[in-house]
Amino acid sequence: MNEVEGLRLRRLNRPQVITDDLHMPQSKGSSSYSGKVFRVVLVSLAVFLLFPLLVVCLILESPIQPDVLRLSEPPVMSGCYEPNLELRDAQRLFEDQIQGPESIVNIGDVLYTGTADGKILKLVGRRSYLVARLGQPPCGTTEAEPVCGRPLGMRVGPNGTLFVADAYLGVFEVNPTTGEVTRLVSGGQVVAGRKLSFINDLDVTADGRKVYFTDSSSRWQRRDYLLLIMEATADGRVLEYDMDSREVTVVMENLRFPNGIQLLPDEESVLVAETTMARIRRVHVSGLNKGGMDMFVENLPGFPDNIRPSSTGGYWVAMATIRPNPGFSMMDFLAQRPWVKKLVFKVFSREVLMKMAPPYSLVVELHEGGVCTRSLHDPQGLVAAYVSEAHEHDGYLYLGSYRSPYISRLQLRRA
């Protein structure tokens, strides 16, 4: 072996020194393989989870065909709308004795309400008494509502009788003493070519000759109110029932979820809560402007439900849910994105969507021109939840609810 060959052999057999800067070829190959396996597993898992969702989105038909709405940016909750805890001072009455007392009236100091199980109740002291049933059992489920009935708006007529709007069964006059029930308008009947599918609220003139009521939709029923809100269908109406002629006529149509209704003192016009649009319209029902409509207040901080008079000459408006600003308003976000609404109803049940709504209770007092003079809040709905109406009587504000098992009572001198 010559010197050159010996040098080459020593170089080949020289021990390799491994430092942090050097990587073993075997380790590098193993790491690359593990990374590829991880990526493949991750992609496969994503496809496995998303594929059924994609199939659902493509195959299932959405139950709604929503319109594009143009809502103004919600008003900043400051000034009159400044959040507070006033409703936290309310007291719960008849807790777990009643379910969903939507509307409240009083005759003297006795309260009356309609409940989710189709009953008209008299509330005295700490006990409730059955006055009448408008429908037939079984009751207590949304499936049974069309037969059982669902009393919503309620008023006291000049003769001391109760006028009741039942979402399914029609408009009734009820004798609170004898329990005698008289149907004035049948639910489901066709008026001017369209069905009365969702009778909601009503008011009665001082002489008892005219009853004005809202039909929130000719397409959706009360149990589908979430679909109505999300679809924003403009098929709601204000109607008039004449006690003498017994005729029903249309006063105003093409409203988006007309809800609460309140006669103005001159009885020539009514205020109508157009829930989906977060506003209140003034509809002229008699006089020179009959058949006309103008704005009472728009761009409210929430979606209005029932409207009732206040002792100061204004009107109490209960907000079904709010449009937080500052904050994120889901309803405002979805208003201009109908495709998202369709997708949401394909993926989630109505029960799940209901739980997404913020349980923020808000009642505002409005005066002429829609000027806010007072607002009462329960930000988490801890005491008064899901408020539908604020009825004032003898220094107290009684709060109805479309789903809570109680009535809340607030002493106004504290507010």
Side-chain angles (χ1 to χ4, degrees):
M1 178 184 301
N2 57 34
E3 184 177 351
V4 174
E5 290 177 344
L7 180 60
R8 184 181 300 130
L9 182 62
R10 286 196 298 273
R11 286 178 178 175
L12 291 173
N13 293 329
R14 182 184 299 169
Q16 184 177 3
V17 178
I18 300 176
T19 67
D20 291 340
D21 297 328
L22 298 175
H23 300 282
M24 302 231 2
Q26 190 175 10
S27 299
K28 181 178 179 181
S30 174
S31 174
S32 176
Y33 177 76
S34 299
K36 289 180 180 179
V37 171
F38 175 76
R39 287 193 295 272
V40 169
V41 170
L42 186 63
V43 171
S44 300
L45 183 61
V47 171
F48 177 77
L49 294 175
L50 293 177
F51 182 73
L53 180 61
L54 181 61
V55 171
V56 167
C57 294
L58 292 176
I59 294 179
L60 289 185
E61 186 175 346
S62 176
I64 60 173
Q65 300 300 321
D67 292 335
V68 177
L69 295 184
R70 302 295 180 186
L71 297 176
S72 300
E73 181 181 350
V76 177
M77 297 188 76
S78 61
C80 182
Y81 297 136
E82 184 74 32
N84 56 58
L85 301 177
E86 297 287 358
L87 292 182
R88 294 278 177 85
D89 291 331
Q91 174 188 10
R92 289 183 177 180
L93 306 178
F94 308 99
E95 190 164 10
D96 296 326
Q97 295 183 48
I98 55 180
Q99 184 65 45
E102 167 90 9
S103 181
I104 304 163
V105 297
N106 69 282
I107 300 177
D109 289 330
V110 177
L111 301 178
Y112 295 85
T113 190
T115 57
D117 54 359
K119 297 176 182 176
I120 306 298
L121 298 177
K122 176 170 67 174
L123 308 176
V124 182
R126 297 186 177 183
R127 298 189 62 184
S128 62
Y129 301 88
L130 178 65
V131 174
R133 275 189 180 276
L134 303 180
Q136 300 294 327
C139 298
T141 64
T142 55
E143 291 75 17
E145 277 191 5
V147 176
C148 174
R150 180 52 169 110
L152 297 177
M154 185 180 292
R155 300 283 184 160
V156 178
N159 297 325
T161 57
L162 304 175
F163 285 81
V164 183
D166 187 285
Y168 303 90
L169 304 179
V171 177
F172 295 83
E173 186 174 10
V174 179
N175 187 312
T177 303
T178 65
E180 180 184 359
V181 174
T182 303
R183 192 197 305 262
L184 306 177
V185 180
S186 296
Q189 76 176 72
V190 176
V191 178
R194 287 158 57 185
K195 275 188 177 183
L196 300 177
S197 296
F198 186 174
I199 297 173
N200 200 322
D201 194 20
L202 81 176
D203 203 357
V204 186
T205 56
D207 60 10
R209 296 180 61 186
K210 298 288 182 67
V211 179
Y212 296 99
F213 64 97
T214 53
D215 181 36
S216 297
S217 174
S218 57
R219 168 171 159 78
W220 299 108
Q221 294 183 316
R222 194 219 74 92
R223 56 183 175 176
D224 301 317
Y225 72 90
L226 188 58
L227 297 175
L228 171 58
I229 291 174
M230 296 294 278
E231 188 174 69
T233 315
D235 65 342
R237 299 183 289 180
V238 175
L239 302 106
E240 174 190 281
Y241 174 74
D242 190 302
M243 295 286 286
D244 296 327
S245 67
R246 299 184 181 181
E247 293 182 350
V248 180
T249 55
V250 178
V251 178
M252 185 59 62
E253 56 186 352
N254 300 325
L255 298 172
R256 298 184 191 273
F257 201 161
N259 198 331
I261 186 170
Q262 171 65 46
L263 273 162
L264 270 66
D266 62 7
E267 297 192 341
E268 290 191 355
S269 56
V270 293
L271 299 180
V272 180
E274 201 173 5
T275 299
T276 304
M277 302 303 294
R279 66 191 180 190
I280 297 175
R281 310 289 287 272
R282 188 200 314 264
V283 177
H284 299 276
V285 296
S286 64
L288 296 176
N289 295 320
K290 183 176 181 178
M293 181 169 61
D294 51 54
M295 192 68 65
F296 180 75
V297 61
E298 58 183 337
N299 201 33
L300 288 165
F303 297 94
D305 203 324
N306 285 353
I307 308 168
R308 294 297 185 265
S310 73
S311 58
T312 62
Y315 303 95
W316 293 111
V317 180
M319 301 289 178
T321 187
I322 68 161
R323 308 164 64 207
N325 187 13
F328 175 70
S329 172
M330 176 63 74
M331 294 298 293
D332 284 77
F333 172 79
L334 294 175
Q336 299 184 41
R337 298 167 176 85
W339 66 272
V340 178
K341 291 183 181 181
K342 288 184 179 182
L343 179 61
V344 164
F345 273 96
K346 288 182 180 183
V347 177
F348 299 104
S349 68
R350 301 180 204 182
E351 291 73 19
V352 171
L353 293 175
M354 278 297 301
K355 293 178 181 179
M356 295 181 182
Y360 193 117
S361 296
L362 173 62
V363 175
V364 299
E365 185 181 22
L366 303 176
H367 279 74
E368 185 61 36
V371 177
C372 175
T373 53
R374 183 163 33 167
S375 69
L376 312 171
H377 304 241
D378 185 350
Q380 285 79 40
L382 298 181
V383 176
Y386 308 109
V387 293
S388 55
E389 180 179 299
H391 172 75
E392 185 175 346
H393 170 61
D394 196 25
Y396 288 91
L397 202 61
Y398 293 86
L399 305 175
S401 171
Y402 62 91
R403 63 182 297 186
S404 295
Y406 53 80
I407 286 173
S408 300
R409 182 179 69 177
L410 177 69
Q411 191 171 13
L412 281 173
R413 71 184 182 188
R414 292 184 177 182

